[in-house]
Amino acid sequence: MKIYLNGDFVEKEDAKISVFDHGLLYGDGVFEGIRLYDGCVYKLDEHLERLEHSAKAILLDMPMSRAEFAEAVCEACRQNNLKNGYIRLIVTRGPGHLGLNPDGCGPQSVIIIADNIQLYPEELYENGLKIISVPTRRINASALPPAVKSLNYLNNILAKIEAKRVGFLEALMLNDKGEIAECTGDNVFIIRKGVLYTPPLDAGSLRGITRAAVMELAEGMGIQVKEQALTRYDLWISDECFLTGTAAEVIPCVEVDHRPIGNGKPGTLTQKLIDLFRESVKSDGTRLDG
Ligand code: PXG
């Protein structure tokens, strides 16, 4: 496997960064997870725009232009002969001094890993996932805007651990008002009486690229889509529920906090959206072969 590291492609064993990198020392950096489908980098421009916004929010200067990032991402796929895969793009503040002060950090570290990912077993795309709400809350926007995809994922990791310790693969995270924010790496949707609902971004959700794609597909199907604050109760009594994310794609959710959703099986609209999503990813992106 060849890894892109600061302008070069190096073997996995040689892909090393400094122990003084503030990405490691403090989680001081930003990242994106991107999918490659059938030789097509899915919504590459949207991911690169979000990366730029994350970097701007944490006052991190981007060391490369969007076009240069796009080319490096595509080249990382080509170097690894990938046609389908998962790309992790990371920009850190770079090596610096011990101490929080970012002055003296640099140059920024740019890492691109083109590999594969399977977040959940295939069987769960057929039968649905069970999720549980956990005590760890989504980080407050006044502390760190949850829209920033930073290298600080500790609160999501704690939520994941809490869910796993009680036998669940995914955690439902609330904001500090007790409203639904999202899962640890996925946005949440419900369907009730034919209307599709998802929490608004200010509830603490990431501006998910899969979220936006699914909202557009649903509107194309004539389904009404509402961004609205949701409580756990709204999820419990929903007809259908599913999660969206680059890694998870669209996955049905059949149980929330021990309450079966609908008839306890993946919903029919959810299934239609999964089918439409899987069809759309083949063409909606940047082709590696130009
Ligand atoms: N919320 C959070 C907190 C995320 O990190 C999503 C929602 C979904 O957004 P996209 O744009 O991917 O539709 C994400 C992104 C993982 C993992 O291993 C998940 C993400 C990123 C990195 C790792 O579960 N999801």
Side-chain angles (χ1 to χ4, degrees):
M1 185 197 293
K2 287 269 195 343
I3 310 284
Y4 177 97
L5 181 60
N6 299 328
D8 295 318
F9 282 96
V10 297
E11 290 300 330
K12 184 177 170 183
E13 297 70 33
D14 302 321
K16 293 175 182 157
I17 62 162
S18 166
V19 293
F20 290 94
D21 195 301
H22 278 213
L24 171 71
L25 289 176
Y26 301 114
D28 189 355
V30 293
F31 79 102
E32 280 295 319
I34 310 170
R35 245 1 222 268
L36 174 70
Y37 291 107
D38 239 357
C40 211
V41 187
Y42 181 65
K43 299 214 185 259
L44 179 56
D45 202 54
E46 285 85 341
H47 281 286
L48 294 177
E49 182 182 52
R50 188 169 67 185
L51 185 76
E52 288 167 7
H53 290 168
S54 296
K56 185 169 190 183
I58 69 159
L59 297 131
L60 170 62
D61 290 331
M62 288 290 256
M64 288 153 61
S65 69
R66 195 181 300 184
E68 286 166 336
F69 272 115
E71 179 46 33
V73 165
C74 292
E75 190 54 27
C77 299
R78 290 188 209 110
Q79 290 273 336
N80 291 288
N81 291 318
L82 282 178
K83 286 275 170 286
N84 290 283
Y86 177 82
I87 303 143
R88 179 62 60 90
L89 169 54
I90 304 156
V91 183
T92 81
R93 193 125 16 213
H97 305 293
L98 293 178
L100 290 174
N101 187 349
D103 294 351
C105 280
Q108 300 91 328
S109 301
V110 179
I111 302 162
I112 304 174
I113 308 167
D115 196 6
N116 285 293
I117 197 166
Q118 170 139 39
L119 213 52
Y120 302 113
E122 190 53 40
E123 168 264 320
L124 294 180
Y125 289 84
E126 301 287 321
N127 301 323
L129 178 69
K130 299 175 179 180
I131 62 173
I132 190 151
S133 49
V134 295
T136 292
R137 297 278 165 116
R138 191 72 169 103
I139 206 152
N140 186 302
S142 56
L144 179 67
V148 176
K149 219 164 150 52
S150 81
L151 295 179
N152 272 278
Y153 259 58
L154 254 188
N155 83 314
N156 302 51
I157 291 167
L158 292 179
K160 189 85 161 176
I161 292 171
E162 287 163 2
K164 294 203 78 153
R165 291 260 165 120
V166 290
F168 292 81
L169 289 179
E170 188 52 283
L172 180 63
M173 297 183 79
L174 311 179
N175 62 25
D176 55 14
K177 287 194 266 180
E179 300 160 344
I180 307 296
E182 59 183 350
C183 288
T184 63
D186 306 310
N187 292 109
V188 181
F189 285 84
I190 58 169
I191 295 169
R192 185 158 153 74
K193 298 193 190 302
V195 178
L196 183 65
Y197 298 89
T198 194
L201 299 175
D202 63 14
S205 334
L206 186 79
R207 188 188 291 274
I209 285 164
T210 323
R211 174 185 184 271
V214 163
M215 287 163 80
E216 208 179 298
L217 290 172
E219 275 163 0
M221 282 167 70
I223 298 174
Q224 195 184 356
V225 181
K226 287 189 181 173
E227 290 180 72
Q228 187 177 299
L230 299 172
T231 62
R232 292 200 302 153
Y233 172 79
D234 294 318
L235 265 62
W236 298 341
I237 62 150
S238 65
D239 301 326
E240 300 186 26
C241 178
F242 62 86
L243 312 181
T244 65
T246 296
E249 305 177 302
V250 183
I251 185 161
C253 181
V254 291
E255 189 191 287
V256 178
D257 296 336
H258 308 289
R259 281 84 166 174
I261 303 302
N263 62 4
K265 298 206 163 62
T268 47
L269 285 179
T270 302
Q271 197 53 57
K272 278 198 188 122
L273 284 167
I274 292 175
D275 294 344
L276 278 178
F277 177 76
R278 289 193 167 162
E279 200 46 46
S280 74
V281 297
K282 293 180 196 157
S283 53
D284 198 348
T286 306
R287 292 213 61 82
L288 293 184
D289 53 22

